Amino acid sequence: EVQLLESGGGLIQPGGSLRLSCAASGFTLSTYAMSWVRQAPGKGLELVSGINTRVVGTYYADSVKGRFTISRDNSKNKVDLQMNSLRGEDTAIYYCAKFVGGSYHDPFDLWGQGTLVTVSS
Amino acid sequence: DIQMTQSPSSLSASVGDRVTITCRASQGISYSLAWYQQKLGNAPQLLLHTASTLESGVPSRFSGSGSGTDYTLTISGLQSEDFATYYCQQYFSTPQTFGQGTKVEIK
């Protein structure tokens, strides 16, 4: 079955760090660009970060630039998001999403179920 | 960044109704427009891409149209399982951006 499974969310104090992981199955991860999209409680969708097939091509929203780092390990079929210096406004469900192709000029055709990150003291 | 303005933000409709949701981009996006459906507690699901191409498995009552900056999602004959929030997304340029969503509720 083709699917994405996120893990690593939880409750963290402001200023803390979390590492989210997205495990891909049922397809060859190396062929596709991948991303993390978040949704704050009761709000819309925001693209947080993306990584293309060449790995060196990464993207970050201005709101997380310098604090978050996306990486991928095609041999392990996973994509990670290292989140540092977390703030209350980072509280959201974080979805792992797969682009249709290898670049950012595609929609997302597969989403994980999401993992909740709550930043609070 | 390209801004996506979706309207209305919410609507009430009955089963069998025809529903139209619009999305306007702040600049031309050359048909690089997708629509997603999100049901409460679930991840978004891709309905259409390239403005009007139906994703595999999506019922034909969903259709899309538009060009340039203005795009439309139409549901012809609303079904009970269609009550959800719908988002448009442009993927013409990075960062890909979403509309704010349209919540379709039961009248």
Side-chain angles (χ1 to χ4, degrees):
Chain A
E1 183 185 0
V2 175
Q3 66 176 2
L4 299 170
L5 187 63
E6 303 95 336
S7 60
L11 174 63
I12 187 75
Q13 291 188 338
S17 298
L18 275 179
R19 189 175 185 89
L20 305 184
S21 190
C22 171
S25 59
F27 65 97
T28 303
L29 183 71
S30 61
T31 309
Y32 301 98
M34 299 293 294
S35 72
W36 288 92
V37 177
R38 70 184 179 185
Q39 187 169 36
K43 301 297 184 182
L45 302 165
E46 178 189 19
L47 178 64
V48 172
S49 183
I51 185 165
N52 65 16
T53 55
R54 294 174 295 170
V55 182
V56 295
T58 57
Y59 163 78
Y60 298 95
D62 287 344
S63 56
V64 307
K65 203 170 292 182
R67 301 187 297 123
F68 290 12
T69 304
I70 192 171
S71 60
R72 65 190 296 160
D73 186 337
N74 292 331
S75 66
K76 295 182 179 178
N77 254 25
K78 69 168 189 166
V79 177
D80 289 348
L81 185 69
Q82 177 67 41
M83 306 188 297
N84 299 330
S85 303
L86 283 161
R87 306 167 180 168
E89 55 264 36
D90 296 319
T91 295
I93 296 172
Y94 285 73
Y95 294 102
C96 177
K98 168 187 164 293
F99 286 89
V100 168
S103 78
Y104 298 141
H105 299 289
D106 282 316
F108 301 120
D109 65 348
L110 182 66
W111 298 66
Q113 87 291 348
T115 187
L116 177 62
V117 172
T118 303
V119 184
S120 176
S121 54
Chain B
D1 298 2
I2 296 177
Q3 305 303 313
M4 304 299 291
T5 303
Q6 214 176 310
S7 61
S9 56
S10 66
L11 64 91
S12 295
S14 301
V15 171
D17 284 354
R18 178 184 177 95
V19 168
T20 299
I21 299 168
T22 64
C23 191
R24 172 166 288 176
S26 58
Q27 65 185 73
I29 56 173
S30 192
Y31 305 100
S32 299
L33 192 283
W35 290 97
Y36 298 87
Q37 178 192 67
Q38 185 178 32
K39 296 182 180 180
L40 195 64
N42 290 312
Q45 285 196 306
L46 180 63
L47 295 177
L48 298 103
H49 61 87
T50 325
S52 61
T53 302
L54 210 59
E55 180 71 352
S56 176
V58 174
S60 58
R61 62 181 179 272
F62 292 93
S63 63
S65 64
S67 63
T69 61
D70 295 325
Y71 298 86
T72 299
L73 171 69
T74 299
I75 310 172
S76 301
L78 196 67
Q79 299 298 303
S80 57
E81 60 266 31
D82 300 336
F83 292 96
T85 300
Y86 295 84
Y87 293 93
C88 63
Q89 177 212 21
Q90 69 79 20
Y91 49 93
F92 178 76
S93 71
T94 302
Q96 295 83 357
T97 46
F98 295 90
Q100 77 276 21
T102 296
K103 186 174 184 179
V104 177
E105 299 175 301
I106 301 173
K107 183 183 284 184

